[in-house]
Amino acid sequence: MNGEDARATCMLAVERLTVAYGRTVAVQGIDLRVEVGQVVCLIGANGAGKTTLMRALSGLLRPEAGHIRLEGADITGQPPHRIAALGMRHVPEGRQIFAGLTVAENLALGAWLEDESAEIARRLEQVLALFPRLRERLAQMAGSMSGGEQQMLALGRALMGAPRLLLLDEPSMGLAPLFVEEIFGIIEELKREGRTILLVEQNASAALEVADYAYVLETGRIVLQGPAVQVAQDPAVLAAYLGG
Ligand SMILES: Nc1ncnc2c1ncn2[C@@H]1O[C@H](COP(=O)(O)OP(=O)(O)O)[C@@H](O)[C@H]1O
Ligand SMILES: [Mg+2]
């Protein structure tokens, strides 16, 4: 494959990325790729460095070393608004919706880079078709909804930005089992639409089921990677993450 083709199919390329908090190195020289149209999952125990990596990708943390390329453009060290303008949207751990604003206001904020009101209306229809519950609650204060509904709102807000790459950090964390199922159903649907997603999850079995490709992160390093079906059968993964 020549360089131009590689750029056309590679959404995200992370090279030798290191991220630290002072002297605590949380991500140690990671290489990772997400191809266009793929769902890639990153699994790993609490404290492995998953959120740190996601925050570095979207520009919230400045890497110590390494490179991040989005569709071929080097975005290493760029501020979050610049990276967002290139099409990356990050649904953060813990959702981070605006509790004191309505559902409609939260969704509108997701389209802050778009001026065309017809385009914003089109995206809103798409999001509400995906999350009918949000349609019923457009005028409701976001903070008064359940955790699962707030996660849907966080996802919907990111989709309002018409992302080229969606980063999802623990979307099922802390949710009741029925909502966990619903959230993974939504991720399946986004995959069918051909969206490109980097998914971080502690729910390894559900993540490996939806993903095309998987990485396993342990104390800041990638210790295993491969097609998700293969990673799901790896004896070490079965023992450590799948209760096997
Ligand atoms: N703001 C911070 N300051 C210092 N250390 C942090 C901070 N956030 C996370 N860490 C440390 O970085 C490591 C990775 O954390 P994190 O990326 O949140 O892991 P994960 O998302 O996989 O649970 C952990 O050792 C954690 O204690
Ligand atoms: Mg985390």
Side-chain angles (χ1 to χ4, degrees):
M1 189 184 277
N2 67 36
E4 210 144 289
D5 286 346
R7 198 165 310 143
T9 61
C10 184
M11 176 61 69
L12 178 73
V14 173
E15 296 156 15
R16 314 281 319 141
L17 193 74
T18 295
V19 190
Y21 301 99
R23 288 157 77 179
T24 308
V25 180
V27 165
Q28 309 196 30
I30 282 182
D31 288 298
L32 175 148
R33 281 172 70 95
V34 180
E35 307 298 330
V36 171
Q38 266 193 341
V39 175
V40 172
C41 79
L42 180 66
I43 60 175
N46 198 15
K50 306 181 298 296
T51 295
T52 302
L53 173 64
M54 296 294 244
R55 291 175 62 83
L57 295 179
S58 62
L60 295 166
L61 290 172
R62 211 187 161 84
E64 294 289 305
H67 286 279
I68 305 167
R69 289 180 222 282
L70 184 65
E71 297 189 278
D74 192 334
I75 58 166
T76 320
Q78 295 283 314
H81 65 272
R82 289 276 287 278
I83 295 174
L86 291 173
M88 193 191 294
R89 286 294 179 286
H90 180 178
V91 180
E93 186 177 289
R95 344 216 190 278
Q96 314 285 341
I97 48 124
F98 297 100
L101 299 181
T102 65
V103 168
E105 287 164 342
N106 270 275
L107 290 174
L109 284 170
W112 90 99
L113 286 167
E114 182 57 53
D115 308 318
E116 282 289 329
S117 57
E119 171 62 17
I120 295 171
R122 192 190 64 80
R123 291 183 196 171
L124 183 61
E125 259 324 297
Q126 258 187 345
V127 166
L128 297 179
L130 200 56
F131 302 102
R133 265 165 206 280
L134 295 183
R135 193 190 294 276
E136 297 160 19
R137 289 169 172 71
L138 280 172
Q140 190 172 328
M141 283 300 162
S144 70
M145 297 199 298
S146 72
E149 289 161 352
Q150 291 188 22
Q151 185 63 59
M152 290 175 191
L153 177 57
L155 260 163
R157 184 179 58 183
L159 292 171
M160 287 297 289
R164 307 215 17 100
L165 172 64
L166 197 52
L167 307 182
L168 306 180
D169 194 349
E170 305 263 15
S172 80
M173 193 204 264
L175 301 187
L178 218 63
F179 272 121
V180 172
E181 221 172 276
E182 211 170 325
I183 290 292
F184 277 102
I186 294 291
I187 296 170
E188 283 281 1
E189 177 63 33
L190 295 173
K191 179 182 178 168
R192 275 193 295 274
E193 289 177 5
R195 305 238 187 206
T196 309
I197 299 173
L198 178 59
L199 169 67
V200 158
E201 262 295 335
Q202 278 190 55
N203 187 339
S205 64
L208 288 168
E209 219 165 279
V210 68
D212 298 296
Y213 198 86
Y215 291 87
V216 180
L217 191 64
E218 276 176 19
T219 53
R221 294 178 198 274
I222 302 288
V223 294
L224 184 72
Q225 63 174 289
V229 283
Q230 274 173 30
V231 170
Q233 285 164 12
D234 184 275
V237 171
L238 282 167
Y241 303 103
L242 301 172

